Structure formats: structure tokens, C-alpha cells
Amino acid sequence: AATGMGDIVSGGVVAAAVSFAASGLRVLGDGVSGWFALGGAVFRLPMGFSLALLGAGYLIGIVAGLAMLTGLVISWGIAVPILTSMAEIPADMSLAKFATGLWSSQVRFIGAGVIGVGAIWTLATLFMPMARGVKASFSALTRAGAARAGKAPRTERDLSAGWISVVTLVLVAVLVITFQVFLADAPLSAAAVWKLVAYAVLFAFVFGFLVAAACGYMAGLVGTSTSPISGVGIVAIVLVSLLLLVLGGELLAVQNGVQMTIALAIFSTSAVVAVASISNDNLQDLKTGWLVGATPWRQQVALLIGCVLGAAVISPVLDLLYNAYGFADAMPREGMDPSQALSAPQATLMLAIARGIFTHQLNWTMILIGMAVGVGLIVVDEILKRTCKVARIPVLAVGIGIYLPPTVAAPIVVGALLAWLLERALRRRAAAAGKDYVSFADAANRRGVLIASGLIVGESLVGVVMAAIIGASGTDAPLAIAGEEFARTASFLGLAVFALVAVLFWRRVMRLAQP
């Protein structure tokens, strides 16, 4: 039987070629936006051309896609126009720069409020099943010896309690060493440093355990697209910032103490977010293993090895990307093109929240508005849950649509719409052929998933390769064959290629669904 590798490779090759033409040769644009004003209100019609995001949208589906579209409408169809109509545009500032500045400094906090409320609601609804799952897990540990001795089926044999305890202690020790090294240069006494290390490790361990249970539960039950990881990051940065604000007075009192405390809060949150991300991946893997009859303890060993190797690879790759492109508001050297900087929207939002808490300048007005919007969305979602079995409004996805750059969110929405249109077309063909939809469309749906995955992989790999070339050359565009004067034409070419790939995607999937 066909493995589907050809579909993954074809998607990867197409995405790699388009990404190289855009980020390497600079003959294709990576996005375009239409700006217009009605009275004093500024509106934006955005579109990004990332094929990886098109594939991601295809995978998350129409429900999450429409939720992100709702977030886009809230931010760029309601909030930004209202704010721009209430302020006067400086004479020397363009519409784009003025509106983007208000979105960055004001509207994104609405998204933070929506995501925070959504995350708390998700964790609250998951508390009882999560508690039962944790209890069952600890009960299973007490039976691990018998299982390992062969008294339980092979498919129910986990790592023993002893090994889990050893791994846990080793990881706690790694956390302690990591935070101690991070604070080693702080102008504090050894006792003060170790106190902060204890606070950070305790928070990362306890809160990380809770969010791993919640995020892993949702990822295993439904999928990673429903996991509240974005909200967990925002809740974590707020909690750890408040903790350090109350207990970290010694660090705040030294020179540059506020900046160092913000850095510690972000560093602590990164540990929690890493835990949540890994739990998403691992629970998906273990669930898949259960479906195919794998041996759990062997999977768990492989996952531990994967975590170690991932930690060894991710850090240098991130450092490579940083030195090649820089991050928004954090460029590694002078003279770099800020338009090519990686936006890192979630990290930027967390920085803004932490900075606002420690400087007592957090935009609570917008956060409270976002929380009110989040509560309203939860009410609507619960009503839809009881009255309509299909239509739903995932609150977290709406919040993500508000705070993500619109050229990032838009292609995700297009990908979700493409998946929905393909499903409708496949259902019509199945009905015309008088066949059951599931069996009729199984091969086509599988091909769509594989092509979408290939799009993500291909663009990602080219991004890393281009970062290595840029970092080695020391210039922003070492392979560019088109200059700034070609930018407008490149944008239209990028749009045309993006549309062409979507059409080819459609035709290749539908080819397996002939009546």
C-alpha cells in the first residue's frame, strides 16, 4: 500500500521552492495589506502568503479557523478603527504605522484578556477529569512492579515508579542548575540568589505539573489545536510576575533590577511553556501508540530521548535564527532590516505583560475589555454547545486571532476554509456516487493531511537553511536578485503563487475522490 511519502515530499518541495524564492531570492512577497480610512477610522485587509500557515490552517479545521477570523475582525474591524477614530494621526506618520502602533500597544492586550479568561475556563472545566486522570496515573505507578513482572498485558506496561522518580529528581536538579546559572551574575548575596532559584523552580515544577496534566489531557482527548497552551503562557507570566513582585524585592532593589526581574519571570514562564508543549506532543504520541498496540514503556523511553535531543537542537537553531533575522525589538547587531525580524508575537506579548506589571504601567483597561469579551464568547459558546451540535466558538482561538499579526492569522484562516470547502466537495461526490462519505473520502482526506504536513516541513527547513546562510554571510539578503523597487511586483507575484498552490492542493486531493 502507498505510504503517502510522495504527498509529504511533494508538499515539502513546493513549500521549500516558494519559501526560497520569497526569503532567499526576494522575487516573491510574503504578504500584502490594503489600508483605507473611513472618516478617522483606519481599516486593514491583510493577507500573508506562507504555505506553512496554509497547511497549519488546513490541519486545525474550520471551527478554529473561523474563531481566528473572528479575532481578526475584532482587532482590525472593530478595535483598531475605534481607537484610530478617537486619536489624531500625526502629520508625519502613515496610516499603516499609526494603526499598527495602536494595535501593538493597545489591541493586543484585548487578546491577552480573552486568552487568559479562556485558559482559566478551560482549566476549570478540565479540573475534575484531570484530577481523576492524575489519581489513576499514581495508582498505576503502585502497580508498575506487577506489570513489569509480566502480570499485565504488554500494552499496559509503563516505566516503573523507581525510574519515574529518578527522572523527576534529575530534571528538578537540571532546573535548579539552570536557574542558578541564569542568576549567577546578579548583584545579590548567595542566600538571595538561592531564594530566587527556589521560587522559580518551585513555580516551574508545581505549575508545570498542573498545566502538563491539563494540556496533555486536551491534546490526547481532542488534539493539540484545542490545548490551552497560549493561555497557559499568559496566566503563567502573570502569576510568576506577581510572585516575584511580592517576594523578589531584593532583586528589584538593585541596579537594573526591574530588567533582571522581568528576565527571570520570562525565563520561569519559558520552563512552564516548554512543559506544556512537550506534554502536548507526548500525549499525542502515547495515544497513537495505544491505538496501534505499542508498548508504553518503550515509547516513554523514546520520548525521553527525544526530549533530550530536542533540547540539544532547539537552542542552537533559535540562536541561529536570532543572529540571522533578529526578533522584533531585539536585533543582534546594528544595520539589520527590522522588517525581516521574526515577530515572535506570543513572546512579545508576554514581555509587555511582565514589563507592565513590574513598572506598574500594565494596560488594565484593554485587558479588562478582553476579559469581558472572553466571558461573552464563553457564554455564546455554551449556548451553541447546547443548541447547535456543529457551530462552536473556541475562545482561545479568538484571542490568538486578536494578538497574532494579521498577515500570520489570515493564511491560517484560508487553510481552514480550504479544508472545509474540500470536505463539502467530497461529501457531494460521495452522495452522487451513492457511497458512505467516510470510506469514500478516506484516501483523499489522508492525502490532504499529508500535503499540509509537507507544506509545513518544507517551509520550516528552508527557513533554517536561509538563517544559516544569512548568519554566515553577515548580510540580510545574500541571495537576493531583486531590490526594494521590485517589492510591489513581488507582492502580487506572491499572491498569485499562493493562490496557485491552493488550487493545485485542491486538485491533487480531489483526484482521489472520483465517483
Side-chain angles (χ1 to χ4, degrees), residues 353-395:
I353 292 173
R355 183 181 291 157
I357 289 175
F358 289 113
T359 59
H360 306 287
Q361 295 177 349
L362 188 61
N363 196 334
W364 283 109
T365 300
M366 291 299 166
I367 289 180
L368 291 174
I369 290 174
M371 294 174 68
V373 171
V375 171
L377 290 170
I378 289 173
V379 172
V380 172
D381 187 52
E382 288 298 308
I383 293 173
L384 291 175
K385 180 180 178 180
R386 288 165 172 74
T387 59
C388 180
K389 299 299 183 183
V390 178
R392 297 294 300 276
I393 302 180
V395 180

Side-chain angles (χ1 to χ4, degrees), residues 97-409:
K97 187 174 181 180
F98 177 64
T100 302
L102 285 175
W103 169 79
S104 179
S105 62
Q106 302 279 336
V107 178
R108 284 191 309 159
F109 289 97
I110 297 178
V114 172
I115 292 174
V117 167
I120 293 172
W121 173 254
T122 302
L123 294 176
T125 57
L126 289 178
F127 180 77
M128 290 307 298
M130 183 180 68
R132 288 194 294 268
V134 172
K135 181 180 178 180
S137 297
F138 281 114
S139 298
L141 289 179
T142 62
R143 301 192 299 270
R148 296 288 294 167
K151 297 180 181 179
R154 174 187 58 81
T155 56
E156 296 181 12
R157 299 177 191 173
D158 296 288
L159 284 174
S160 67
W163 276 111
I164 292 176
S165 300
V166 169
V167 171
T168 301
L169 291 175
V170 169
L171 293 179
V172 171
V174 170
L175 272 179
V176 171
I177 295 171
T178 302
F179 279 105
Q180 201 282 329
V181 171
F182 184 80
L183 290 168
D185 295 331
L188 297 171
S189 64
V193 168
W194 282 108
K195 184 173 71 171
L196 290 172
V197 169
Y199 292 156
V201 171
L202 186 63
F203 176 82
F205 182 81
V206 175
F207 194 68
F209 176 82
L210 295 176
V211 301
C215 293
Y217 181 86
M218 284 302 293
L221 186 68
V222 182
T224 54
S225 61
T226 62
S227 181
I229 184 170
S230 294
V232 161
I234 290 175
V235 172
I237 193 67
V238 171
L239 291 179
V240 74
S241 297
L242 294 176
L243 175 69
L244 293 174
L245 191 64
V246 174
L247 302 176
E250 293 169 306
L251 183 58
L252 287 168
V254 302
Q255 186 179 7
N256 298 323
V258 172
Q259 289 83 354
M260 296 176 67
T261 310
I262 292 173
L264 179 59
I266 294 173
F267 198 64
S268 303
T269 303
S270 70
V272 174
V273 173
V275 168
S277 303
I278 292 170
S279 69
N280 279 350
D281 179 66
N282 287 0
L283 264 294
Q284 284 280 70
D285 290 346
L286 290 169
K287 172 185 174 180
T288 304
W290 180 81
L291 291 173
V292 300
T295 304
W297 75 266
R298 294 181 183 273
Q299 280 188 280
Q300 290 154 11
V301 171
L303 290 172
L304 287 172
I305 296 172
C307 288
V308 174
L309 295 179
V313 171
I314 289 172
S315 294
V317 170
L318 284 176
D319 190 61
L320 179 68
L321 293 172
Y322 170 67
N323 284 289
Y325 302 109
F327 297 121
D329 299 325
M331 307 302 285
R333 55 188 178 275
E334 295 182 359
M336 295 184 68
D337 184 2
S339 66
Q340 298 299 318
L342 303 176
S343 59
Q346 190 172 22
T348 304
L349 182 61
M350 290 182 183
L351 171 61
I353 292 173
R355 183 181 291 157
I357 289 175
F358 289 113
T359 59
H360 306 287
Q361 295 177 349
L362 188 61
N363 196 334
W364 283 109
T365 300
M366 291 299 166
I367 289 180
L368 291 174
I369 290 174
M371 294 174 68
V373 171
V375 171
L377 290 170
I378 289 173
V379 172
V380 172
D381 187 52
E382 288 298 308
I383 293 173
L384 291 175
K385 180 180 178 180
R386 288 165 172 74
T387 59
C388 180
K389 299 299 183 183
V390 178
R392 297 294 300 276
I393 302 180
V395 180
L396 291 171
V398 175
I400 292 172
I402 293 174
Y403 87 77
L404 275 183
T407 53
V408 172

